């Protein structure tokens, strides 16, 4: 798994990189000095997770992180200076950690975000879906509305609508119940049984725009 780092202080960035490199399953793709540089490097280096220290975050760069996250290219972890990261939880990132967190907490967070979200039997994401598209498709399969998916993922509702619509086109399905059927046929884990999905989906309109 490749991880990208954005730290304004070179020494701290290199220290975190060395810490992560000691984990055999991880490699650090780059250590950027700014978020703008990190966003460019994240796309060219195909990292799974981007860790951003708030001291390297400039005004207006959250939109760039949001775009990276919504594209499904990489998950975003924000490191904040405060011991309690709760005030930052509403930001458009996947996880917020304090600089006071332990290494075990950092490792656990990265492991969780890098874990494939329901890969198919042969190890690749089915239907050429991105990580974000598959995540939303699985939530659709559980009978959740776009609004509820937005609440769970931290995405905007319109973004969820766009992601779900694109996923449905890739899966060649016309409604949300068929999403569950296709995921089940593909052998994707984390998908609830079809009967349960149908019962959960009945109150909703079976269309991508819901």
């Amino acid at each position: 798994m490749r991880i990208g780092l954005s730290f304004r202080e070179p020494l701290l960035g290199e220290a975190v990189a060395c810490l992560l490199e000691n984990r055999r399953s991880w490699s650090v793709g780059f250590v950027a000095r700014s978020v703008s540089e990190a966003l460019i490097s994240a796309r060219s280096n195909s990292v799974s997770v981007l860790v951003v220290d708030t001291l390297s975050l400039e005004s207006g760069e959250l939109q760039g992180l949001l775009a990276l996250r919504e594209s499904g290219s990489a998950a975003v972890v924000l490191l904040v200076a405060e011991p309690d990261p709760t005030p930052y939880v509403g930001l458009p990132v996947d996880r917020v950690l304090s600089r006071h967190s332990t290494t075990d907490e950092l490792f656990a967070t990265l492991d969780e975000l890098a874990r494939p979200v329901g890969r198919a039997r042969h190890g690749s994401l089915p239907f050429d879906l991105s990580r974000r598209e598959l995540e939303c498709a699985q939530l659709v399969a559980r009978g959740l509305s776009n609004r509820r998916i937005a609440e769970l993922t931290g995405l905007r509702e319109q973004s969820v609508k766009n992601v779900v619509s694109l996923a449905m086109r890739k899966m060649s399905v016309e409604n949300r119940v068929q999403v569950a059927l296709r995921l089940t046929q593909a052998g994707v884990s984390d998908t609830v049984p079809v009967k349960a999905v149908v019962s959960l989906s009945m109150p909703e309109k079976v269309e991508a725009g819901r």
Side-chain angles (χ1 to χ4, degrees):
M1 179 185 77
R2 291 174 66 81
I3 298 173
L5 303 175
S6 177
F7 284 85
R8 190 171 67 183
E9 305 103 318
L11 185 60
L12 181 57
E14 291 171 9
V16 174
C18 289
L19 183 68
L20 296 177
E21 289 281 8
N22 285 332
R23 292 286 293 261
R24 292 185 179 180
S25 59
W26 296 348
S27 65
V28 176
F30 60 86
V31 181
R33 296 283 301 276
S34 69
V35 173
S36 297
E37 178 187 344
L39 290 172
I40 295 173
S41 299
R43 292 184 174 90
S44 60
N45 286 273
S46 300
V47 297
S48 301
V49 182
L50 176 61
V51 180
V52 177
D53 183 61
T54 51
L55 293 182
S56 69
L57 186 63
E58 300 292 338
S59 176
E61 290 180 331
L62 272 176
Q63 282 302 113
L65 293 177
L66 176 61
L68 177 72
R69 181 172 176 260
E70 290 187 345
S71 70
S73 302
V76 177
V77 177
L78 201 64
L79 286 181
V80 300
E82 291 80 357
D84 181 11
T86 303
Y88 295 87
V89 169
L91 293 178
V93 296
D94 292 277
R95 295 289 186 278
V96 180
L97 287 178
S98 169
R99 278 190 173 199
H100 299 263
S101 300
T102 65
T103 54
D104 285 342
E105 289 172 327
L106 175 61
F107 290 163
T109 297
L110 295 178
D111 277 334
E112 179 184 354
L113 291 175
R115 188 179 302 124
V117 285
R119 291 188 179 274
R121 287 191 182 98
H122 299 294
S124 60
L125 291 176
F127 313 111
D128 198 29
L129 297 175
S130 70
R131 186 181 67 87
R132 181 66 66 195
E133 289 162 357
L134 181 55
E135 177 185 23
C136 289
Q138 289 177 326
L139 293 174
V140 165
R142 294 189 178 96
L144 302 185
S145 66
N146 288 347
R147 178 174 299 179
R148 181 58 179 149
I149 294 173
E151 292 172 353
L152 291 174
T153 61
L155 301 177
R156 293 171 297 191
E157 187 173 351
Q158 182 60 46
S159 297
V160 171
K161 178 180 177 180
N162 294 339
V163 171
V164 170
S165 295
L166 180 57
M168 289 176 66
R169 285 200 298 272
K170 288 183 177 181
M171 297 169 71
S172 300
V173 299
E174 298 180 354
N175 60 57
R176 299 168 83 92
V177 173
Q178 290 176 358
V179 169
L181 292 171
R182 291 284 278 164
L183 290 180
T184 301
Q185 291 167 355
V188 178
S189 61
D190 298 330
T191 304
V192 296
V194 174
K195 289 183 179 179
V197 172
V198 172
S199 64
L200 285 170
S201 301
M202 288 303 291
E204 296 190 342
K205 294 181 180 179
V206 286
E207 56 188 17
R210 174 79 168 120

